[in-house]
Coordinates of all heavy atoms in Angstrom, one line a residue:
I249 N -96.2 -128.4 -83.3 CA -96.3 -129.6 -84.1 C -95.4 -130.7 -83.5 O -94.2 -130.4 -83.1 CB -95.9 -129.3 -85.5 CG1 -96.8 -128.3 -86.2 CG2 -95.9 -130.6 -86.4 CD1 -96.4 -126.9 -86.1
E385 N -88.6 -141.2 -92.2 CA -88.7 -140.0 -93.0 C -90.2 -139.5 -93.2 O -90.4 -138.3 -93.1 CB -88.1 -140.2 -94.4 CG -86.6 -139.8 -94.4 CD -86.1 -139.7 -95.9 OE1 -86.9 -139.7 -96.8 OE2 -84.8 -139.8 -96.0
P386 N -91.1 -140.4 -93.5 CA -92.5 -139.8 -93.7 C -93.1 -139.1 -92.5 O -93.8 -138.1 -92.7 CB -93.3 -141.1 -94.0 CG -92.3 -142.1 -94.5 CD -91.0 -141.8 -93.8
F387 N -92.7 -139.5 -91.3 CA -93.2 -138.8 -90.1 C -92.6 -137.3 -90.0 O -93.3 -136.4 -89.7 CB -92.8 -139.5 -88.8 CG -93.4 -140.9 -88.7 CD1 -92.7 -142.0 -89.1 CD2 -94.7 -141.1 -88.4 CE1 -93.2 -143.3 -89.0 CE2 -95.3 -142.3 -88.3 CZ -94.5 -143.4 -88.6
I388 N -91.3 -137.2 -90.5 CA -90.7 -135.9 -90.5 C -91.3 -135.0 -91.5 O -91.5 -133.8 -91.3 CB -89.2 -136.1 -90.6 CG1 -88.6 -136.9 -89.5 CG2 -88.5 -134.7 -90.7 CD1 -87.1 -137.3 -89.6
R389 N -91.5 -135.6 -92.7 CA -92.1 -134.8 -93.8 C -93.5 -134.3 -93.5 O -93.8 -133.2 -93.8 CB -92.1 -135.6 -95.1 CG -90.7 -135.7 -95.8 CD -90.9 -136.1 -97.2 NE -91.3 -137.5 -97.4 CZ -90.5 -138.5 -97.5 NH1 -89.2 -138.4 -97.6 NH2 -91.0 -139.7 -97.7
E390 N -94.2 -135.2 -92.9 CA -95.6 -134.8 -92.4 C -95.5 -133.6 -91.5 O -96.3 -132.7 -91.6 CB -96.3 -136.0 -91.8 CG -97.7 -135.7 -91.3 CD -98.3 -136.9 -90.6 OE1 -97.6 -137.8 -90.2 OE2 -99.5 -136.8 -90.3
A391 N -94.7 -133.7 -90.5 CA -94.5 -132.6 -89.5 C -94.0 -131.4 -90.1 O -94.4 -130.3 -89.8 CB -93.7 -133.1 -88.3
E392 N -93.1 -131.5 -91.1 CA -92.5 -130.3 -91.7 C -93.6 -129.6 -92.6 O -93.6 -128.4 -92.6 CB -91.3 -130.7 -92.6 CG -90.0 -130.9 -91.9 CD -89.5 -129.6 -91.3 OE1 -89.3 -128.6 -92.1 OE2 -89.2 -129.5 -90.1
K393 N -94.4 -130.4 -93.2 CA -95.5 -129.7 -94.0 C -96.5 -129.0 -93.0 O -96.9 -127.9 -93.3 CB -96.3 -130.8 -94.7 CG -95.6 -131.4 -96.0 CD -95.6 -130.3 -97.1 CE -95.1 -130.9 -98.4 NZ -96.0 -131.7 -99.1
A394 N -96.8 -129.6 -91.9 CA -97.6 -128.9 -90.9 C -97.0 -127.6 -90.4 O -97.6 -126.6 -90.2 CB -97.9 -129.8 -89.7
S395 N -95.7 -127.6 -90.1 CA -94.9 -126.4 -89.7 C -94.9 -125.4 -90.8 O -95.1 -124.2 -90.5 CB -93.5 -126.8 -89.3 OG -93.4 -127.7 -88.3
R397 N -97.2 -124.8 -93.1 CA -98.5 -124.2 -93.2 C -98.6 -123.0 -92.2 O -99.1 -122.0 -92.6 CB -99.6 -125.2 -93.0 CG -99.7 -126.3 -94.1 CD -100.9 -127.2 -93.8 NE -100.9 -128.3 -94.8 CZ -100.5 -129.5 -94.5 NH1 -100.1 -129.8 -93.3 NH2 -100.5 -130.4 -95.5
V419 N -90.8 -131.8 -99.3 CA -89.8 -131.7 -98.3 C -88.6 -132.7 -98.7 O -88.8 -133.9 -99.0 CB -90.3 -132.2 -96.9 CG1 -89.2 -132.1 -95.9 CG2 -91.5 -131.3 -96.5

Side-chain angles (χ1 to χ4, degrees):
I249 298 93
E385 271 192 15
F387 298 100
I388 298 172
R389 282 199 291 265
E390 179 185 12
E392 278 293 304
K393 284 289 187 77
S395 299
R397 291 187 188 99
V419 180

